């Protein structure tokens, strides 16, 4: 039977016990035990760190006997005097002291855990996720979860100080198109009808601006039924904000202040502002992606004009079909990338959609994969154009612009990681501006909103709405950090007639507009201040600040790639009686 806590009240966390001479009471889990016969050392662990408990021949025999019965992960409370350690450990905060215990309580015994609770665990992640409550006892995960809490704390403090009101929005709402599939909640009262879990609080925060709450903030839970990746979970937290009577620069300046504050207070890193900016077009042309990692070079260069007269049919065909020929110069890459390694890059490029890669590997002499098609001097011209020197590797792609850019953008990252030129302790923020308003959907053959349909187009692009959707740019922007998209934001349409025109441009009928957005459209008839906002991914921000490999490492109880939780084994089946109350019958279709 477990001991009682009666008469003991914790006075210190384990990691805070540093001064000798004081009487303390600590509680925690047994991290490890060393029983040397006449002396027992128990290392006790809590979320702040560890402290050593001492039992010896001066201990009460009953206390000593109880200490000798302890095992790993037992839950203890201990009272005693802090004394100087004989064998000191200068690597930890509490390493100069230990507690000579005069009262020990075993509050809970523990079975042998399925894996050892240590910092550098190399246990299969699935096993750790199945026993997540044990995995969360490990120091690295505890540090991550605590840092995430600190980020949330600083977030609230910053926005409160800048006049924002924290307002909760509904967790059950109307299903509206926002880019991903909704998670649906059936209604018992209104059978056959469903609520949707919010993909974001987008519509509600715009309604709050119409309601006169000119600065809104919320750490909002959001839900999206989409395929998972390392930086994606089906449920996530968004630092959601909206501001009235502002323009895009006001919103971005406010967020830059937040970025400075959170990095300084949480990890002691100074972020210089204003943050650099790139237009969407420039980002794509230079890095092949709208979320570039600018911590290293290897930028994409257009060499179409230089190679247009070569006899290499691959280049000429791409240019004749309206495409381009572009290259990246992988500085000092020739020594790392052998022919066999280059073949792997070529296969990767084909997997993205390119027909392949041409290359110039300049080790002792330039070795060019298409040299037999070049005239005298053309190889030197290409090398000079991309700034190549001895030791460099030039990788070239020729195809449609979209394919070329996406391919070289991905290859650039692979080469940067392979050559270890991406500094881990550098934080490169970047605003991506002038985002395209529409994107072309190959499957449907139509233009669809690249963002939500309430995004304001740039005034100079309004004339293209009906005639040239590809040239319509939006008053929208992304915040990127080290190649990860942290946030999207935009100014919103507040003019009723323009909003109707945008819906029409997106191919929506009056009936669809009324069914999906009728209440918001009606609200705009009663006057809406100019407003805009952003949603910053708290999980992604925490992942980067913690230097974690995955969102799972900064989420207490994460889902895996198939959107299931291994610990609780959700989602699970529901009995027919509960389904019947909701008017639902499950009909699983075989593939």
């Amino acid at each position: 039977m477990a001991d009682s806590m009666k008469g003991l009240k914790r006075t210190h966390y384990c990691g805070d016990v540093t001064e000798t001479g004081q009487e303390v009471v600590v509680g925690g889990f047994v991290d490890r035990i060393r029983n040397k016969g006449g002396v027992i050392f128990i290392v006790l662990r809590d979320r702040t760190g560890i402290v050593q408990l001492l039992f010896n021949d001066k201990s009460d025999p009953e206390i000593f006997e109880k200490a000798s019965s302890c095992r790993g992960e037992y839950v203890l409370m201990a009272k005693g005097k802090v004394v100087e350690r004989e064998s000191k450990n200068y690597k930890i905060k509490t390493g100069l002291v230990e507690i000579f215990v005069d009262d020990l309580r075993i509050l809970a015994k523990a079975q042998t855990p399925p894996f050892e609770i240590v910092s550098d665990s190399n246990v299969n992640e699935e096993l750790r996720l199945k026993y997540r409550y044990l995995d969360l006892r490990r120091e690295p995960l505890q540090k991550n979860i605590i840092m995430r809490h600190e980020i949330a704390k600083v977030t609230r403090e910053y926005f409160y100080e800048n006049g924002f009101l924290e307002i909760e929005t509904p967790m059950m709402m109307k299903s509206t198109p926002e880019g991903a599939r909704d998670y649906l909640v059936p209604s018992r009262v209104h059978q056959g009808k469903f609520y949707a879990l919010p993909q974001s609080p987008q519509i509600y925060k715009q309604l709050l601006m119409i309601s006169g709450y000119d600065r809104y903030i919320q750490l909002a839970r959001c839900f999206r039924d989409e395929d998972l990746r390392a930086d994606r979970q089906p449920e996530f937290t968004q630092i959601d904000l909206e501001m009235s009577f502002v323009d895009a620069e006001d919103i971005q300046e406010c967020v830059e202040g937040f970025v400075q504050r959170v990095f300084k207070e949480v990890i002691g890193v100074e972020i210089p502002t204003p943050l650099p900016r790139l237009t969407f077009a420039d980002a794509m042309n230079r890095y092949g992606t709208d979320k570039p990692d600018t911590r290293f070079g290897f930028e994409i260069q257009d060499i179409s004009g230089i190679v247009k007269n070569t006899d290499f049919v691959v280049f000429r065909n791409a240019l004749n079909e309206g495409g381009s020929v572009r290259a990246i110069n992988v500085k000092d890459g020739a020594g790392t990338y052998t022919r066999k390694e280059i073949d792997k890059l070529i296969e990767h490029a084909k997997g993205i959609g390119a027909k392949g890669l041409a290359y110039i590997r300049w080790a002792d002499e330039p070795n060019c994969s298409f040299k037999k098609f070049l005239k005298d001097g053309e190889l030197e011209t290409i090398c000079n154009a991309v700034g190549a020197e001895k030791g460099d590797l030039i990788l070239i792609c020729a195809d449609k612009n979209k394919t070329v850019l996406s391919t070289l953008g991905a290859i650039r990252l692979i080469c940067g990681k392979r050559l270890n030129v991406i500094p881990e302790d550098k934080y490169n923020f970047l605003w991506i501006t002038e985002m395209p308003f529409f994107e072309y959907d190959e499957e449907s053959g139509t233009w669809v909103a690249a963002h939500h349909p309430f995004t304001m187009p740039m005034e100079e692009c309004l004339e293209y709405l009906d005639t040239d959707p590809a040239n319509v740019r939006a008053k929208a922007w992304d915040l990127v950090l080290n190649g990860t998209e942290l946030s999207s934001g935009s100014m919103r349409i507040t003019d009723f007639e323009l909003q109707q025109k945008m819906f029409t441009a997106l191919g929506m009928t009056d009936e669809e507009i009324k069914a999906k957005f009728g209440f918001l459209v009606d609200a705009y008839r009663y006057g809406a201040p100019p407003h805009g906002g952003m949603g910053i991914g708290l999980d992604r921000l925490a992942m980067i600040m913690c230097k974690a490999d995955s969102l799972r490492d900064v989420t207490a109880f994460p889902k895996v790639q198939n959107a299931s939780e291994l610990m609780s084994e959700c989602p699970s089946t529901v009995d027919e009686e509960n389904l019947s109350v909701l008017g639902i019958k499950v009909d699983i279709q075989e593939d």
Side-chain angles (χ1 to χ4, degrees):
M1 189 171 177
D3 293 335
S4 167
M5 284 177 52
K6 189 174 181 180
L8 284 188
K9 188 176 181 67
R10 183 167 63 178
T11 63
H12 290 72
Y13 280 100
C14 293
D16 297 334
V17 178
T18 57
E19 295 182 14
T20 60
Q22 58 184 337
E23 288 279 342
V24 299
V25 178
V26 293
F29 299 90
V30 173
D31 192 73
R32 56 189 180 272
I33 301 171
R34 287 180 294 149
N35 190 333
K36 296 181 174 290
V39 181
I40 298 173
F41 299 102
I42 295 179
V43 177
L44 201 65
R45 179 188 71 240
D46 65 19
R47 76 184 200 202
T48 64
I50 59 175
V51 69
Q52 184 165 282
L53 308 181
L54 169 65
F55 308 84
N56 59 24
D57 56 2
K58 296 179 182 178
S59 300
D60 181 290
E62 187 177 336
I63 297 293
F64 190 90
E65 183 65 26
K66 189 180 287 188
S68 68
S69 72
C70 290
R71 298 291 181 268
E73 301 309 312
Y74 275 29
V75 180
L76 308 181
M77 285 194 79
K79 179 174 80 71
K81 188 175 181 178
V82 182
V83 298
E84 186 177 350
R85 271 179 72 163
E86 202 170 292
S87 176
K88 295 179 175 56
N89 182 349
Y90 293 94
K91 295 180 180 179
I92 60 173
K93 184 180 175 183
T94 61
L96 305 183
V97 301
E98 59 193 1
I99 302 170
F100 179 74
V101 178
D102 57 39
D103 192 354
L104 179 68
R105 312 283 178 91
I106 299 177
L107 302 182
K109 295 183 178 181
Q111 296 180 14
T112 302
F115 53 86
E116 194 176 2
I117 313 296
V118 293
S119 293
D120 55 348
S121 174
N122 57 2
V123 176
N124 178 283
E125 188 184 28
E126 287 190 7
L127 181 63
R128 290 192 289 108
L129 287 172
K130 179 176 176 60
Y131 296 94
R132 184 63 166 181
Y133 45 86
L134 296 178
D135 197 28
L136 285 169
R137 293 182 187 178
R138 295 192 307 114
E139 183 186 18
L141 278 181
Q142 290 201 336
K143 283 185 174 179
N144 289 354
I145 298 300
I146 291 169
M147 185 182 289
R148 181 190 168 113
H149 157 76
E150 291 295 327
I151 294 169
K153 177 175 174 285
V154 173
T155 298
R156 285 193 162 97
E157 290 171 349
Y158 173 81
F159 285 105
Y160 291 170
E161 290 169 15
N162 283 275
F164 285 77
L165 301 174
E166 185 164 10
I167 305 174
E168 292 183 347
T169 52
M171 295 292 281
M172 296 194 300
M173 56 183 288
K174 185 174 185 174
S175 180
T176 57
E178 289 198 40
R181 286 183 296 273
D182 287 328
Y183 279 103
L184 300 175
V185 180
S187 170
R188 176 184 60 81
V189 177
H190 306 280
Q191 290 203 358
K193 295 185 178 181
F194 295 82
Y195 302 100
L197 300 180
Q199 293 185 34
S200 77
Q202 184 62 50
I203 292 176
Y204 285 104
K205 68 180 182 179
Q206 289 187 240
L207 288 168
L208 286 170
M209 297 302 104
I210 296 171
S211 302
Y213 300 92
D214 64 306
R215 289 195 166 201
Y216 142 92
I217 182 71
Q218 182 183 190
L219 270 61
R221 294 295 284 168
C222 304
F223 306 84
R224 295 180 185 177
D225 185 5
E226 55 189 356
D227 296 333
L228 306 192
R229 299 192 300 254
D231 62 348
R232 183 181 287 171
Q233 282 278 306
E235 49 185 320
F236 57 95
T237 302
Q238 187 166 284
I239 303 169
D240 202 48
L241 63 117
E242 197 81 4
M243 303 169 69
S244 291
F245 303 104
V246 293
D247 57 23
E249 287 71 26
D250 295 322
I251 299 169
Q252 291 161 7
E253 183 179 346
C254 180
V255 170
E256 288 183 355
F258 162 66
V259 163
Q260 270 193 323
R261 173 85 165 264
V262 75
F263 270 75
K264 176 66 175 175
E265 292 196 14
V266 177
I267 60 174
V269 171
E270 297 279 358
I271 302 295
T273 58
L275 302 179
R277 294 164 179 265
L278 269 185
T279 65
F280 173 86
D282 284 343
M284 294 301 296
N285 285 328
R286 289 172 59 181
Y287 300 100
T289 176
D290 60 355
K291 45 181 183 291
D293 190 338
T294 59
R295 291 175 293 172
F296 69 107
F298 305 173
E299 291 187 23
I300 299 171
Q301 302 178 62
D302 192 340
I303 60 171
S304 301
I306 295 168
V307 301
K308 65 181 180 181
N309 294 320
T310 67
D311 293 331
F312 190 28
V313 68
V314 173
F315 292 171
R316 296 180 70 170
N317 285 349
L319 294 172
N320 289 338
E321 292 171 8
S324 61
V325 182
R326 304 182 193 233
I328 59 172
N329 179 10
V330 181
K331 299 298 293 181
D332 300 317
T336 300
Y337 279 97
T338 61
R339 174 60 192 272
K340 189 174 181 180
E341 294 259 2
I342 293 172
D343 286 342
K344 291 179 183 177
L345 288 178
I346 292 171
E347 288 306 308
H348 192 91
K350 289 178 179 178
I352 297 171
K355 297 180 181 70
L357 292 174
Y359 66 87
I360 302 170
R361 181 175 177 268
W362 192 345
D364 296 326
E365 295 292 334
N367 177 16
C368 178
S369 64
F370 53 98
K371 187 173 183 178
K372 64 182 179 181
F373 301 103
L374 298 178
K375 307 180 191 71
D376 287 345
E378 288 183 334
L379 178 58
E380 290 76 11
T381 300
I382 295 171
C383 290
N384 290 336
V386 299
E389 302 170 315
K390 186 176 180 179
D392 294 346
L393 171 67
I394 304 168
L395 299 169
I396 305 170
C397 187
D399 213 310
K400 295 177 182 177
N401 286 339
K402 185 175 180 181
T403 302
V404 169
L405 292 173
S406 62
T407 300
L408 290 179
I411 296 297
R412 172 183 177 268
L413 282 174
I414 291 171
C415 293
K417 291 173 182 174
R418 179 73 176 82
L419 291 174
N420 198 29
V421 296
I422 307 176
E424 290 186 5
D425 293 324
K426 195 172 183 181
Y427 297 95
N428 277 24
F429 282 91
L430 181 67
W431 290 113
I432 304 295
T433 63
E434 299 187 27
M435 308 291 284
F437 190 93
F438 297 100
E439 57 187 13
Y440 190 71
D441 184 359
E442 300 279 356
E443 288 187 15
S444 64
T446 59
W447 290 93
V448 297
H451 307 273
H452 56 73
F454 318 112
T455 303
M456 176 75 81
M458 300 183 78
E459 282 83 358
E460 61 267 32
C461 298
L462 291 175
E463 61 183 291
Y464 304 129
L465 279 177
D466 301 321
T467 58
D468 190 6
N471 277 329
V472 180
R473 288 166 291 134
K475 284 189 178 179
W477 57 87
D478 285 351
L479 180 60
V480 174
L481 171 57
N482 293 356
T484 296
E485 180 192 318
L486 281 185
S487 172
S488 289
S490 72
M491 298 303 296
R492 324 303 190 189
I493 297 173
T494 55
D495 179 84
F496 171 76
E497 292 183 0
L498 178 58
Q499 184 66 75
Q500 289 294 109
K501 188 172 183 178
M502 296 311 301
F503 284 143
T504 302
L506 292 168
M508 296 177 67
T509 65
D510 289 343
E511 290 76 17
E512 285 180 303
I513 297 168
K514 184 170 180 57
K516 294 175 180 177
F517 304 112
F519 63 100
L520 180 63
V521 172
D522 287 344
Y524 275 106
R525 298 176 190 269
Y526 296 96
H531 62 273
M534 299 181 64
I536 303 166
L538 175 60
D539 315 78
R540 291 185 181 183
L541 181 62
M543 181 178 74
I544 293 174
M545 294 178 73
C546 292
K547 297 182 180 178
D549 295 326
S550 164
L551 289 180
R552 294 189 294 274
D553 296 331
V554 296
T555 304
F557 300 102
K559 306 291 190 292
V560 293
Q561 193 160 0
N562 65 2
S564 66
E565 185 196 290
L566 299 183
M567 183 187 70
S568 67
E569 298 183 339
C570 77
S572 59
T573 57
V574 177
D575 61 54
E576 290 189 10
E577 183 178 347
N578 283 330
L579 291 175
S580 177
V581 170
L582 296 168
I584 291 176
K585 184 171 183 176
V586 175
D587 181 16
I588 299 176
Q589 301 294 322
E590 297 292 337
D591 291 336

